[in-house]
Amino acid sequence: MAPYGTWPSPITPDLLTEGAVRLSDVGLAGGRVAWNEGRPSEGGRQVLVADGAGDLVPAALSVRTRVHEYGGRCWVEVGDALVVTNDADQRLWVVRSPGAEPEPLTPEGPRYADPVADPAGRFVIAVREAHGDDGTVENDLAVVTLDGTVGTLVGGRDFYAAPAISPDGRRVAWVDWDHPNMPWDDTDCWVGELVDQADGTVGCREVRHVAGGDDESVQQPRWSPDGVLHWISDRSGWWNLYRSPTGEVGDGGEALCPMAAEFGQPGWVFGTSTYCFTADGRLVATWGGPDGGGTGVVAGGAVAPFDLPWSSYDSLVADGTAVACIAASPTTPAAVVRIDADGAATVLRASRSVDLDPAGLSVPARRRFPTAGGEEAWAVVYPPASATHEGPAGERPPLVVMSHGGPTSSARSALDLGVQFWTSRGFAVADVDYRGSTGYGRAYRNRLRGAWGVCDVEDCAGVATWLASVGEVDGDRCVIRGGSAGGFTTLACLAFTDVFAAGADLYGVADLEALARDTHKFESRYLDRMVGPWPEAAATYRERSPIHHLEGFDRPLIIFQGLEDLVVPPAQSEMIFDALKAKGVPVAYLPFPGEQHGFRRAETIRTVAAMELSFYGLVLGFTPDGAVAVPVVRP
């Protein structure tokens, strides 16, 4: 028996990165399942890996795109070659055969993402992002041949995503949208005919509108093996699957399996893939919602879930009659798995090896709780868990409230050692799906429109108050943490409520006005919907910005910031640090050279965990196992 928060834990800061990789963007290469593997031990380098064949690109390449700054899918197999975006210069490179030296395909300057291959192996179509010397940014769809000829397929809209070429190579579908929309707001899906042009490039003609428009988010156009276009739309209020019932584009589309569930995800990154077609014509999809979800075959207007041990699935791709994807559960780490036609599954690559006593892993529950205005919100709640320790009778555990980024995103119940790091020491954790989160339909997602800095703050404070009221946590020992938009919510909770004893801000927003002026193109009009049109709503921006409400801060804060962050520039963290230091609030600031938006280096991840744990110990009055010195500025 030991006080909550002091339990010794096998999940050390070192264990968070030891042997760990980040898995994304599953595909096929050389007839094998392949994926992109982010390696903290190699400074965050991303490497294409194939099952049974090892690394597919030389050490000189890191396969990563920075289009929209968040990146996403940036590789494709073209015939026997691999075409990838290289992180260092953002050009497309080609590796023509295993072991061959990579060759640049595109000139220096523009960035490329989301490439798809011509079935005949002649070219790729990719999203292109060109940054001008005057600060302007132009996006379009580019055609790049394997001899390095580059042309424009379509342009004129603010953003493009998800190009998809039909099996016969004659048609292409894509999604586009304009400011102030984000890809989960109002988007359009189009189809055009591909034609060879005299200059050696490929053009697009006979462009027709398929779906989308006002109050409809369309994503992931896909062609079935017999050439019928499918897509995901939230026209019903939920991201459901649709297809052209006659096989002809423009027939309006029909819902394949109407459900109060989400078959799609918010398009923060390129290459989201939540459904695919197997060689035998089956449509395999993953879905989720308030009532749960799964992965299985969609047919006859219904879903037939596979009986599998995982709870979350992503990056689906067909491998013949099988499906490969990334799967995870609350007690098993993310892994690339192959699911055969009979539902049998094989793990091809785990993101890490977890040799932990299952009794020491916290199993979460999705909880609905009351919040402001008589409404309800959701959270994934983890109780403390240890294989060796328990808390004293009558003592309630401290609570870590996690506020996810986005803010248009969601909490996930997959195994996250970053969460178990806290629960194994005796903390409860509430990962909040505040109003505005995804996974609960368009109406819930739109609840944050005009209310960022209000609903998220109410819900993060509300879940702490509620859990304390039902006796599950100690209401005097609640802390809040969050990154990016979650960092903004963390700061706002400290400025506008007295619920939390302390906060941890990871590259968060302190000044909404500065963010509206300084952020990158993709999010430069995001706040028009979340706060109000800029600069007309300048008074609201100031009203919601923590930097303008220093009088509300009296609880300690620790700040972590990457110095190469272009999404939330370091000035945001520096301004709140300087202001709180001048006010006399205990505050610590740890900047990390070489880190961008989201930490990728092993040393950074370990440092943040150790410092944050020790910081909470200082604030809450106990000495955690493995405590380190924290550079807190005191009055």
Side-chain angles (χ1 to χ4, degrees):
M1 184 176 292
Y4 289 107
T6 69
W7 299 348
S9 170
I11 305 174
T12 64
D14 286 345
L15 187 64
L16 296 179
T17 60
E18 284 177 358
V21 296
R22 293 185 305 274
L23 303 171
S24 63
D25 304 329
V26 179
L28 299 178
R32 301 173 181 268
V33 176
W35 58 88
N36 205 352
E37 188 169 291
R39 298 173 177 171
S41 61
E42 296 183 24
R45 176 174 172 249
Q46 296 187 185
V47 186
L48 277 185
V49 182
D51 178 42
D55 294 0
L56 299 179
V57 295
L61 296 180
S62 177
V63 183
R64 181 187 173 202
T65 178
R66 303 194 188 193
V67 175
H68 293 179
E69 301 304 331
Y70 293 102
R73 187 173 183 87
C74 56
W75 73 275
V76 69
E77 184 180 45
V78 189
D80 295 328
L82 286 174
V83 172
V84 306
T85 304
N86 182 34
D87 185 32
D89 55 18
Q90 292 298 291
R91 302 165 73 181
L92 287 179
W93 289 68
V94 59
V95 181
R96 298 190 184 276
S97 61
E101 286 297 313
E103 306 168 25
L105 280 182
T106 58
E108 295 183 359
R111 306 172 177 184
Y112 292 87
D114 218 1
V116 293
D118 164 44
R122 299 181 301 151
F123 58 85
V124 299
I125 295 172
V127 176
R128 178 172 55 185
E129 183 177 270
H131 292 246
D133 294 336
D134 59 355
T136 58
V137 179
E138 299 292 335
N139 295 75
D140 59 17
L141 288 181
V143 177
V144 182
T145 66
L146 290 200
D147 64 5
T149 302
V150 182
T152 300
L153 186 73
V154 292
R157 300 295 298 270
D158 287 332
F159 299 101
Y160 293 84
I165 302 176
S166 61
D168 60 8
R170 297 173 55 190
R171 294 177 291 172
V172 60
W174 70 88
V175 170
D176 57 26
W177 66 97
D178 288 323
H179 282 312
N181 291 306
M182 298 296 284
W184 46 84
D185 292 325
D186 307 342
T187 64
D188 292 285
C189 180
W190 308 83
V191 166
E193 296 183 14
L194 295 172
V195 293
D196 292 330
Q197 302 188 131
D199 61 1
T201 62
V202 175
C204 188
R205 68 182 183 187
E206 301 294 330
V207 175
R208 290 173 288 172
H209 188 259
V210 174
D214 293 343
D215 298 319
E216 182 178 2
S217 169
V218 181
Q219 60 176 261
Q220 298 184 59
R222 299 270 193 279
W223 301 91
S224 65
D226 56 355
V228 175
L229 185 65
H230 292 64
W231 63 89
I232 291 174
S233 166
D234 68 351
R235 64 178 63 166
S236 70
W238 298 85
W239 272 318
N240 279 190
L241 288 159
Y242 290 78
R243 70 177 175 191
S244 297
T246 65
E248 295 295 327
V249 172
D251 55 19
E254 66 177 1
L256 293 183
C257 179
M259 290 175 60
E262 305 278 42
F263 286 80
Q265 298 174 359
W268 282 106
V269 299
F270 291 100
T272 299
S273 182
T274 56
Y275 74 103
C276 64
F277 295 94
T278 60
D280 54 4
R282 292 175 302 139
L283 192 163
V284 178
T286 182
W287 63 91
D291 298 325
T295 288
V297 176
V298 177
V303 293
F306 296 136
D307 183 14
L308 296 169
W310 299 287
S311 59
S312 69
Y313 304 84
D314 197 4
S315 201
L316 275 65
V317 64
D319 178 21
T321 59
V323 171
C325 64
I326 298 172
S329 81
T331 56
T332 56
V336 178
V337 303
R338 187 177 188 273
I339 306 168
D340 293 329
D342 61 2
T346 304
V347 174
L348 305 181
R349 171 65 157 134
S351 59
R352 63 177 310 124
S353 174
V354 177
D355 185 18
L356 297 170
D357 188 333
L361 294 176
S362 178
V363 179
R366 192 171 297 274
R367 309 275 293 276
R368 184 166 54 185
F369 63 92
T371 189
E375 298 188 55
E376 293 181 319
W378 295 81
V380 179
V381 179
Y382 298 77
S386 172
T388 59
H389 284 71
E390 62 182 7
E395 181 182 334
R396 291 180 294 178
L399 172 69
V400 177
V401 169
M402 294 186 171
S403 175
H404 62 67
T408 308
S409 186
S410 62
R412 300 186 70 181
S413 58
L415 177 64
D416 182 347
L417 291 191
V419 173
Q420 302 288 339
F421 178 83
W422 302 109
T423 56
S424 62
R425 286 169 166 76
F427 290 84
V429 171
D431 200 351
V432 187
D433 272 341
Y434 46 78
R435 289 166 292 171
S437 301
T438 53
Y440 306 89
R442 185 179 179 100
Y444 191 84
R445 188 169 78 243
N446 286 350
R447 185 62 185 84
L448 207 58
R449 285 190 174 183
W452 190 32
V454 178
C455 286
D456 51 320
V457 173
E458 292 173 342
D459 296 352
C460 286
V463 74
T465 302
W466 176 68
L467 288 172
S469 72
V470 297
E472 295 185 27
V473 303
D474 184 346
D476 293 328
R477 294 193 295 164
C478 298
V479 298
I480 184 168
R481 72 185 308 273
S484 190
F488 165 74
T489 302
T490 294
L491 294 174
C493 280
L494 295 180
F496 301 119
T497 79
D498 59 2
V499 171
F500 298 102
D505 163 28
L506 291 83
Y507 39 88
V509 178
D511 186 346
L512 292 173
E513 293 178 283
L515 183 68
R517 292 191 302 263
D518 299 339
T519 196
H520 57 126
K521 178 188 175 183
F522 180 57
E523 293 185 87
S524 62
R525 299 287 302 279
Y526 187 17
L527 300 191
D528 283 24
R529 288 270 174 85
M530 308 303 286
V531 181
W534 173 261
E536 293 83 356
T540 304
Y541 280 69
R542 292 182 63 85
E543 178 186 330
R544 305 267 181 89
S545 295
I547 192 65
H548 296 305
H549 296 276
L550 298 177
E551 72 283 354
F553 283 92
D554 59 7
R555 311 297 168 88
L557 174 70
I558 191 165
I559 305 167
F560 305 99
Q561 175 71 48
L563 294 182
E564 294 185 13
D565 193 336
L566 298 180
V567 177
V568 179
Q572 291 274 350
S573 291
E574 293 162 1
M575 72 171 72
I576 196 70
F577 171 70
D578 291 340
L580 295 183
K581 181 173 66 172
K583 185 176 186 284
V585 176
V587 60
Y589 175 49
L590 284 83
F592 296 98
E595 289 285 9
Q596 299 157 36
H597 197 67
F599 299 143
R600 291 176 170 81
R601 298 183 176 186
E603 181 180 352
T604 304
I605 295 168
R606 293 194 297 263
T607 298
V608 169
M611 286 289 182
E612 189 176 347
L613 172 64
S614 301
F615 172 74
Y616 293 152
L618 284 176
V619 171
L620 302 180
F622 58 82
T623 302
D625 182 55
V628 298
V630 181
V632 178
V633 176
R634 296 187 177 277

